[in-house]
Amino acid sequence: MSTALKNLSNFNHTTIPSGVGMKIGIVVAEWNIEITGALRDGTIETLLKNGVSENDIFIKYVPGSFELTFGAQLFCQNNSIDSVIVLGCVIQGETRHFDFICEAVSQGVTNVSLKYNKPVVFGLLTPNTLEQAQDRAGGKHGNKGDEAAVTAIKMIHLQKHL
Ligand code: DLZ
């Protein structure tokens, strides 16, 4: 699985529903904040571009990616929130920490999403290097935040119209 051949910010091939009236929570990990801050900015820009109101975007910070799941759960407990986007960056290191965090977040957000019946969008970068992260946080492969924003809008639309 690779994003090297795909630009994360290119949506010319797909129809994006209007985000007007949608309420979206964003949880941002403070670890690697130069990357996660860029993901956050991309997410906000794309939500606004697709009709989500600035007043309907709610941002909270957690210390690291491991805490993203709990942050998502807190948002999901709020009935007015339609979807939650989690943004983090775990860079492959020399220890197995990487595997534990990635596994915990992917499993955790899936569980929260199903438990609360709300889309929780997985905006976690898991690169081998800082350069690969930069490439996907507004660099040559686009911005994973853009992809996360469009995913949230599409999933809310799907849930409301099925
Ligand atoms: C401890 C840790 C390490 C080694 N690496 C990262 C990382 O690359 N990205 C990230 O978001 N968080 C990292 N953390 C912090 C953990 O996610 C978590 O915040 C701590 O283990 C405390 O629970």
Side-chain angles (χ1 to χ4, degrees):
M1 207 181 323
S2 168
T3 50
L5 299 176
K6 178 183 182 340
N7 189 303
L8 295 160
S9 302
N10 184 355
F11 298 100
N12 293 336
H13 58 289
T14 176
T15 307
I16 305 172
S18 165
V20 171
M22 294 181 178
K23 295 192 186 333
I24 298 179
I26 304 175
V27 190
V28 185
E30 289 169 337
W31 257 77
N32 298 313
I33 192 69
E34 69 281 10
I35 300 295
T36 60
L39 298 178
R40 173 202 58 209
D41 295 346
T43 303
I44 294 169
E45 196 180 314
T46 300
L47 290 176
L48 295 175
K49 205 166 25 175
N50 288 284
V52 179
S53 161
E54 200 172 350
N55 297 328
D56 289 335
I57 301 173
F58 306 90
I59 303 172
K60 293 288 178 202
Y61 293 85
V62 293
S65 292
F66 190 77
E67 286 74 40
L68 288 171
T69 302
F70 189 70
Q73 176 163 286
L74 293 177
F75 265 128
C76 282
Q77 286 168 342
N78 180 332
N79 285 338
S80 69
I81 294 288
D82 296 309
S83 174
V84 184
I85 296 169
V86 302
L87 299 174
C89 173
V90 191
I91 300 176
Q92 177 84 268
E94 291 174 355
T95 69
R96 292 194 57 212
H97 216 96
F98 176 89
D99 302 310
F100 289 125
I101 295 177
C102 296
E103 171 71 18
V105 181
S106 57
Q107 201 54 57
V109 297
T110 304
N111 292 343
V112 170
S113 182
L114 296 179
K115 178 175 175 190
Y116 288 91
N117 199 30
K118 286 184 191 187
V120 179
V121 180
F122 186 72
L124 185 72
L125 286 177
T126 56
N128 291 321
T129 65
L130 179 61
E131 187 184 358
Q132 287 178 345
Q134 289 164 337
D135 289 345
R136 292 159 178 79
K140 69 178 179 194
H141 294 311
N143 192 326
K144 188 149 185 79
D146 296 339
E147 181 198 60
V150 169
T151 301
I153 290 171
K154 283 184 172 181
M155 293 306 291
I156 295 167
H157 183 266
L158 177 71
Q159 188 168 33
K160 283 187 197 281
H161 293 89
L162 208 64

